[in-house]
Amino acid sequence: MGYSDVPEPFTGKVACLPFLMEEYADRRGSEFMVTYVSKGFEAPGFAPGALVTHWSGIPVSVAVELNASRFAGNNAAARRSRGVQSMTIRPLMVHLPPFEQWVTVSYIGTDGNHREMRESWRLFDNPAGPVDTGTASSTAISQAFDIDTQETNRAKVALFAPRVLAQQSAADVGRPIPGLRSGEIATKNPIAFRAQKIKTSSGVFGHLRIFTFETDNPRSYVEEFIRLVRLLPERGLVLDVRDNGGGDMRVAECLLQVLTPREVAPEPVQFLSSPLNLRVCRAAHLRRGVSSHSAAFAARPLFRSVGMANVCRLVGVSRYASRASHRGEGRSRQPR
């Protein structure tokens, strides 16, 4: 059963609590801090900065580990990250519904007082993504993402980022972008990008957060990336892809090419050598005369002619790439 075949009433649903909790570490060890609270939710001293100490009577660190044990992450850190993330947000497309109807949260409020509250799990419809992955379009088959992270990120925006939703609504109709912070640059795609100038002791640098590579318009996505990069300081650029759940592989590869005048060769894709895959490959390449086992399983680019190979040339390159690449001369220079 595929993710799109999840039965009702779970399709598109997310179980959530009205706050987001994240882990950080200091000299005292790990702490679990409330970082976002849903609009309209109120509890005494419960706001960003409050520290969660116990979860339904269990020390919160132990509760996170118990939750993390349900995941098959590649390592302990990956499982713990999933465990923390799913303490308050669980897309039912990939998670079982919570066993408990409510949780009891013990916390140290922003006023320093120890308190406790009981909060029931809530259910809401997660916003749909821009790409219908149930079709056979080139855009649909180009998608490669972590479904859990992607669905969770959409839920976070819906629950805790009304500013981003307002910005996207304004961008969609060509209105001025509201709620820009100091140093932030307006973008036509705030769901995917946040660009800002960061002042440091070493000078002013560009910081470009890329939340997702998911898009139904690859050309527009790449053009917006280039436009934002051109508006950022040339001294240096930080590309921030934390919690990026993936998306269009062609877009991700094209962004790499934008940043260098040298040709970027995508890693070839290979199939596991098995009798079934051999038959599949032979059937798919019959017209090309592929008949041998080694030829059928030779490494190949995943996308050979999907129309994205020339996108970067068509929309231009950023000023972080050497202009010599246009003339085919010189060596690549490092960003200043």
Side-chain angles (χ1 to χ4, degrees):
M1 182 174 67
Y3 289 126
S4 60
D5 301 321
V6 175
E8 294 289 351
F10 304 119
T11 304
K13 297 293 194 297
V14 175
C16 68
L17 296 170
F19 62 93
L20 190 64
M21 181 182 71
E22 298 182 65
E23 183 180 13
Y24 75 94
D26 58 17
R27 289 176 296 179
R28 298 173 297 179
S30 293
E31 300 282 1
F32 294 84
M33 178 184 289
V34 175
T35 52
Y36 290 93
V37 175
S38 295
K39 184 178 180 181
F41 176 76
E42 295 183 359
F46 196 84
L51 296 178
V52 177
T53 61
H54 291 75
W55 196 269
S56 295
I58 305 172
V60 66
S61 183
V62 176
V64 166
E65 286 298 327
L66 291 173
N67 194 39
S69 66
R70 301 187 299 112
F71 296 95
N74 289 333
N75 51 62
R79 290 192 293 273
R80 187 174 180 87
S81 176
R82 295 284 197 188
V84 174
Q85 177 176 275
S86 61
M87 291 294 286
T88 61
I89 299 179
R90 298 181 187 176
L92 299 186
M93 185 176 287
V94 289
H95 288 265
L96 291 172
F99 296 115
E100 69 278 11
Q101 293 185 0
W102 62 79
V103 298
T104 302
V105 180
S106 304
Y107 64 97
I108 302 173
T110 52
D111 55 5
N113 292 324
H114 290 253
R115 292 190 172 91
E116 190 172 274
M117 69 175 184
R118 191 175 84 169
E119 190 61 33
S120 297
W121 283 96
R122 306 175 183 193
L123 199 66
F124 82 100
D125 292 306
N126 212 16
V131 179
D132 182 0
T133 56
T135 68
S137 67
S138 61
T139 299
I141 64 176
S142 300
Q143 302 302 305
F145 50 78
D146 174 9
I147 189 69
D148 189 1
T149 300
Q150 203 80 316
E151 289 293 310
T152 297
N153 287 347
R154 289 197 195 107
K156 287 179 181 179
V157 172
L159 290 168
F160 308 118
R163 183 180 75 98
V164 173
L165 295 177
Q167 289 179 340
Q168 189 65 64
S169 296
D172 290 343
V173 297
R175 295 200 310 265
I177 305 299
L180 292 176
R181 295 166 179 167
S182 177
E184 186 176 0
I185 298 172
T187 173
K188 302 173 186 176
N189 191 353
I191 294 293
F193 300 118
R194 185 175 66 222
Q196 55 189 334
K197 300 174 183 178
I198 303 294
K199 294 181 179 180
T200 74
S201 58
S202 300
V204 180
F205 294 84
H207 181 274
L208 182 54
R209 182 77 182 268
I210 307 176
F211 295 100
T212 181
F213 293 119
E214 193 176 24
T215 176
D216 58 354
N217 191 333
R219 178 188 291 271
S220 176
Y221 184 105
V222 175
E223 288 176 338
E224 179 63 2
F225 174 84
I226 292 172
R227 186 188 73 84
L228 292 172
V229 168
R230 283 175 170 160
L231 295 174
L232 290 169
E234 292 189 5
R235 185 177 183 86
L237 174 65
V238 176
L239 292 178
D240 187 347
V241 292
R242 290 173 298 166
D243 292 330
N244 187 314
D248 195 313
M249 289 181 283
R250 302 168 301 175
V251 163
E253 290 178 356
C254 188
L255 296 194
L256 291 176
Q257 186 63 75
V258 164
L259 297 171
T260 176
R262 296 174 182 253
E263 183 177 355
V264 176
E267 185 71 18
V269 63
Q270 293 176 293
F271 291 104
L272 179 69
S273 182
S274 70
L276 174 59
N277 278 336
L278 177 59
R279 293 199 300 271
V280 171
C281 290
R282 279 177 172 169
H285 295 90
L286 185 61
R287 293 181 180 178
R288 299 180 183 178
V290 176
S291 58
S292 69
H293 187 280
S294 59
F297 285 89
R300 307 173 185 277
L302 186 57
F303 298 104
R304 184 173 295 278
S305 57
V306 294
M308 283 299 293
N310 295 318
V311 166
C312 297
R313 296 187 183 92
L314 291 174
V315 299
V317 298
S318 78
R319 62 183 178 187
Y320 284 88
S322 171
R323 293 183 180 178
S325 63
H326 291 286
R327 303 189 297 272
E329 61 187 32
R331 297 182 178 179
S332 62
R333 60 182 174 86
Q334 296 299 318
R336 291 184 290 156

